[in-house]
């Protein structure tokens, strides 16, 4: 089959690789119908996170089950399924607690020795604990299929940030970051009943999506200017809940600066850069809580799926460029150059 591999920074290729097959009784093989490029994939693309030459890449996909192992009970050939961005066994204590990202037998798609999502098919370990079945009719609805793909990562990650930040009905929420995760954080905040949602971003095309998703205000400044603007919008107090969806030192400093005393920050931006920007003394004095991390999206999919199916939540606008497999290298270049928000792949 054909799949996306990374050989070096800025060297993404689509190559012939061995077809996936059932190796263990708990495996399934999924033929990929939709995949995408994640903002976190760009750290490998830019050389900021290490990869072995020829390693697979991509961790968001949905598709059709082609084969199952003898021990797989919940799926059969022909089922339409979505995969969260990590696999998990579904039986350990962490999985039972809804923290599948800490499953001792779990792993990330595209890690050494595993298939990546940006290819024609994927071997899925622990299929019963990992995959989530989707309605078969969705396969003929292109918009819905695209929206369902967001369940594999960005929608659940935005929701994780909103939950960590303590978003509640009537709250004022600020979202740091206008990428796909930040925009899904806006969606999540609206879904959880936030009264006011302030989106921080400088790119009009993205902030227009934020407004469509429920943002009531947009702040285009950065750093101290952004803090001052949010403070002005909130009568000097700041936001009850802040979603941090970037992961840089500056973004975390901004998040702390715009949080109301007694509020909380939900952080899901993959940390990168020279530091975290955290001043524990300030957070202590102002009673600011910090919660977040790698989102256990497998735990959130059953909760979010009905709203995506009925259209209450539609994250599909975050996908603004569509390519086939041959177009994946160009898709990375477009996202790296910020001419695309999130690239949809149709193998």
């Amino acid at each position: 089959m054909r799949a996306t591999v990374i050989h070096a920074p800025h060297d993404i290729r689509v190559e012939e690789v061995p077809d996936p097959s059932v190796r263990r009784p708990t495996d399934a093989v999924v033929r990929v119908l939709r995949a995408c490029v994640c903002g976190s994939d760009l750290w490998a693309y830019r050389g900021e996170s290490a990869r072995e030459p020829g390693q697979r890449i991509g961790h968001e996909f949905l598709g059709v089950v082609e084969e199952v192992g003898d021990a797989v009970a919940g799926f059969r050939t022909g089922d339409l399924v979505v995969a969260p961005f990590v696999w998990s066994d579904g039986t350990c204590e962490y999985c039972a607690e809804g923290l599948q990202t800490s499953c001792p037998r779990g792993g990330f798609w595209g890690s050494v020795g595993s298939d990546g999502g940006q290819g024609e098919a994927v071997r899925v370990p622990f299929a019963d604990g990992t995959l989530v079945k989707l309605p078969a009719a969705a396969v003929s609805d292109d918009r819905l299929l695209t929206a369902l793909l967001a369940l594999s990562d960005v929608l659940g990650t935005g929701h994780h940030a909103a939950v960590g930040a303590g978003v509640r009905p009537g709250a004022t929420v600020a979202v740091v970051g206008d990428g796909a995760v930040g925009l899904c954080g806006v969606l999540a905040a609206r879904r959880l009943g936030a009264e006011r949602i302030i989106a921080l971003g400088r790119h009009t095309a993205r902030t227009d999506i934020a407004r469509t998703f429920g943002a009531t205000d947009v702040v285009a400044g950065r750093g101290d200017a952004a803090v001052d603007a949010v403070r002005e919008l909130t009568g000097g107090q700041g936001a009850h809940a802040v979603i941090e969806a970037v992961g840089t030192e500056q973004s975390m400093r901004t998040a702390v600066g715009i949080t109301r005393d007694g509020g909380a920050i939900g952080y899901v931006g993959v940390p990168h850069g020279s530091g975290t920007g955290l001043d524990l003394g300030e957070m202590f004095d102002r009673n600011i809580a910090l919660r977040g991390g790698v989102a256990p999206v497998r735990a959130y999919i059953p909760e979010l799926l009905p709203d995506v199916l009925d259209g209450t939540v539609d994250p599909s606008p975050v996908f603004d460029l569509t390519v086939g497999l041959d177009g994946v290298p160009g898709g990375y270049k477009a996202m790296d150059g910020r001419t695309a928000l999130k690239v949809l792949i149709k193998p």
Side-chain angles (χ1 to χ4, degrees):
M1 71 167 190
R2 301 171 72 229
T4 305
V5 299
I6 182 167
H7 284 269
H10 302 282
D11 186 1
I12 295 285
R13 308 178 196 175
V14 178
E15 298 179 340
E16 292 288 333
V17 300
D19 290 337
S21 61
V22 169
R23 299 180 190 172
R24 297 181 177 88
T26 53
D27 287 351
V29 173
V30 174
R31 175 170 53 87
V32 177
L33 297 181
R34 296 289 185 277
C36 55
V37 180
C38 181
S40 63
D41 292 330
L42 296 180
W43 305 125
Y45 181 73
R46 295 166 179 161
E48 297 182 33
S49 60
R51 294 292 188 276
E52 293 185 1
Q55 189 173 333
R56 306 286 181 82
I57 195 166
H59 54 261
E60 300 162 277
F61 66 95
L62 61 73
V64 175
V65 175
E66 293 279 279
E67 184 182 3
V68 296
D70 293 341
V72 175
F75 301 95
R76 62 182 181 181
T77 300
D79 284 342
L80 181 67
V81 294
V82 63
F85 64 82
V86 301
W87 69 80
S88 53
D89 63 19
T91 60
C92 72
E93 290 185 6
Y94 286 112
C95 287
E97 294 168 1
L99 193 64
Q100 289 88 344
T101 49
S102 291
C103 176
R105 296 199 289 175
F108 288 79
W109 310 113
S111 56
V112 175
S114 73
D115 294 327
Q118 297 165 12
E120 292 182 318
V122 176
R123 181 182 74 88
V124 178
F126 304 112
D128 282 329
T130 300
L131 299 173
V132 177
K133 191 180 298 186
L134 302 173
V139 77
S140 61
D141 185 332
D142 189 66
R143 183 210 58 79
L144 178 57
L145 207 60
T146 300
L148 291 167
L149 175 62
L151 291 167
S152 65
D153 187 346
V154 287
L155 184 58
T157 297
H159 178 73
H160 186 56
V163 171
V167 176
R168 62 187 186 278
T172 294
V173 179
V175 180
V176 181
D178 60 1
V181 170
L183 294 173
C184 285
V186 173
L187 267 181
R190 185 191 68 183
R191 179 179 175 274
L192 292 172
E195 182 175 325
R196 190 175 194 183
I197 304 172
I198 305 167
L200 280 65
R202 298 181 296 161
H203 303 272
T204 302
R206 298 182 179 199
T207 55
D208 285 347
I209 296 174
R211 289 189 184 277
T212 300
F213 282 0
T216 56
D217 304 271
V218 169
V219 167
R222 297 183 70 184
D224 291 342
V227 173
D228 291 343
V230 173
R231 291 274 171 184
E232 183 176 354
L233 286 170
T234 57
Q237 294 184 340
H240 301 101
V242 175
I243 290 172
E244 194 288 311
V246 181
T248 63
E249 182 171 358
Q250 182 186 62
S251 65
M252 187 60 82
R253 289 188 184 277
T254 298
V256 172
I258 63 178
T259 304
R260 175 189 176 111
D261 288 15
I265 300 167
Y267 72 106
V268 292
V270 178
H272 57 280
S274 59
T276 64
L278 288 176
D279 182 339
L280 292 180
E282 179 182 2
M283 296 179 69
F284 180 87
D285 291 342
R286 297 175 51 214
N287 281 283
I288 293 174
L290 180 68
R291 307 182 191 92
V294 183
V297 298
R298 178 61 182 82
Y300 296 134
I301 291 174
E303 175 185 349
L304 298 172
L305 177 57
D307 285 354
V308 175
L309 290 173
D310 68 15
T312 301
V313 172
D314 180 14
S316 64
V318 303
F319 299 97
D320 61 343
L321 176 63
T322 301
V323 300
L325 270 182
D326 289 334
V328 171
Y332 272 82
K333 185 176 181 179
M335 283 184 62
D336 185 45
R338 297 184 73 86
T339 59
L341 169 60
K342 190 167 181 66
V343 174
L344 176 69
I345 303 167
K346 295 183 177 181

